[in-house]
């Protein structure tokens, strides 16, 4: 699929099903009037829930293109840094916990020179890259569209003069590595606690495989 045909395909209108429509370009983020509780509301960012289905290449290309079209100016005063969560070395950035009003969110900050303005531009600049930020965003976009129960919500993509910010819902319990560091030492007690976690992990991986998605670095 050519890039021109791809954009034509991806610029098809989206429909808001929850009964709201907000112009992000004119909204004041300090008042929270563009905060829907689920997503930053924009015709390029709100999509019709479609249920679980096999993910095809055209779907993913469309999601990445729409994500690039949805980028809005970063509103410095709207977000307050709470703490650094982790480095994102592969993307030359880091992830912070921030607050927006009374909601905690995760914000992945990456340099514009790395992310580029679109997936096409990124691939031209970084043909051999193993980390692909637009692919990550596109996959989350599609999983949100399907109402996939085990993914974070993509809340918005923003940019200032130097950085691109991907805002998602916050996984409040941290990651499995953190759990392993602070919870019981290896042994029977840990094994008992791990059983439901591993069952859920295997179930989620199976669901992703059924959708045509391979995680690869669990």
């Amino acid at each position: 699929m050519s890039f021109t045909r791809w954009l034509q395909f991806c610029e098809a209108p989206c429909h808001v099903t929850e009964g709201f429509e907000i112009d992000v370009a004119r909204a004041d983020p300090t008042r929270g009037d563009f905060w829907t509780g689920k997503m930053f509301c924009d015709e390029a960012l709100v999509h019709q829930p479609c249920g679980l289905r096999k993910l095809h290449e055209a779907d993913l290309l469309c999601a990445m293109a729409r994500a690039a079209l949805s980028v809005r100016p970063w509103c410095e005063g709207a977000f307050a840094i709470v703490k650094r969560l982790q480095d994102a070395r592969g993307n030359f950035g880091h992830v912070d916990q921030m607050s927006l009003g009374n909601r905690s969110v995760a914000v992945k900050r990456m340099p514009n020179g790395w992310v580029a303005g679109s997936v096409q531009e990124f691939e031209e600049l970084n043909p051999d890259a193993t980390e692909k930020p637009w692919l990550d965003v596109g996959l989350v976009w599609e999983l949100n569209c399907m109402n996939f129960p085990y993914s974070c919500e993509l809340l918005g993509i923003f940019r200032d003069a130097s950085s691109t910010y991907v805002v998602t819902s916050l996984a409040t319990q941290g990651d499995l590595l953190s759990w392993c560091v602070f919870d019981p030492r290896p042994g029977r007690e840990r094994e008992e606690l791990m059983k439901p976690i591993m069952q859920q992990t295997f179930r989620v991986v199976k669901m992703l495989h059924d959708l045509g998605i391979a995680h690869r670095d669990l």
Side-chain angles (χ1 to χ4, degrees):
M1 182 182 294
S2 70
F3 184 67
T4 301
R5 177 71 187 92
W6 164 20
L7 279 181
Q8 290 172 346
F9 173 69
C10 294
E11 287 173 350
C14 296
H15 301 285
V16 178
T17 59
E18 292 83 1
F20 52 73
E21 186 170 0
I22 300 172
D23 186 346
V24 177
R26 291 197 296 268
D28 179 358
T30 62
R31 297 200 314 267
D33 61 2
F34 71 156
W35 181 253
T36 69
K38 294 188 71 176
M39 285 192 172
F40 292 103
C41 192
D42 174 84
E43 67 173 14
L45 197 59
V46 179
H47 27 32
Q48 187 104 9
C50 50
L52 295 180
R53 55 181 169 74
K54 191 80 170 182
L55 184 63
H56 298 285
E57 183 179 7
D59 301 321
L60 189 53
L61 289 173
C62 181
M64 290 188 288
R66 290 193 179 203
L69 292 170
S70 78
V71 175
R72 290 291 180 263
W74 175 247
C75 307
E76 187 72 39
F79 296 86
I81 294 180
V82 176
K83 63 180 179 179
R84 176 75 58 89
L85 293 176
Q86 64 183 48
D87 292 328
R89 294 186 181 90
N91 284 291
F92 308 100
H94 58 268
V95 181
D96 291 322
Q97 178 181 339
M98 294 189 177
S99 62
L100 179 65
N102 60 0
R103 179 164 187 177
S104 292
V105 296
V107 181
K108 188 172 188 177
R109 178 175 181 169
M110 300 169 285
N112 291 339
W114 162 249
V115 178
S118 66
V119 63
Q120 182 199 39
E121 184 181 349
F122 177 85
E123 293 293 345
E124 290 173 353
L125 294 172
N126 308 282
D128 300 319
T130 55
E131 293 285 345
K132 298 180 182 293
W134 289 111
L135 178 61
D136 295 341
V137 169
L139 284 169
V140 176
W141 183 297
E142 279 297 311
L143 290 173
N144 286 177
C145 176
M146 297 180 200
N147 291 323
F148 189 76
Y150 299 107
S151 66
C152 292
E153 292 176 276
L154 177 62
L155 302 174
I157 308 169
F158 301 88
R159 179 168 290 163
D160 61 17
S162 60
S163 301
T164 298
Y165 306 82
V166 178
V167 182
T168 66
S169 58
L170 178 67
T172 57
Q173 300 303 309
D175 57 26
L176 193 57
L177 179 60
S178 300
W179 185 90
C180 290
V181 170
F182 292 107
D183 274 68
R185 297 177 61 82
R188 186 175 298 276
E189 183 181 2
R190 172 175 284 197
E191 289 179 4
E192 289 300 317
L193 291 173
M194 285 294 294
K195 284 180 181 179
I197 296 174
M198 296 312 299
Q199 288 172 347
Q200 186 183 72
T201 300
F202 292 143
R203 182 166 60 251
V204 174
V205 171
K206 171 64 164 57
M207 292 176 68
L208 289 174
H209 288 177
D210 289 344
L211 297 176
I213 301 171
H215 193 287
R216 299 186 66 186
D217 63 347
L218 286 173

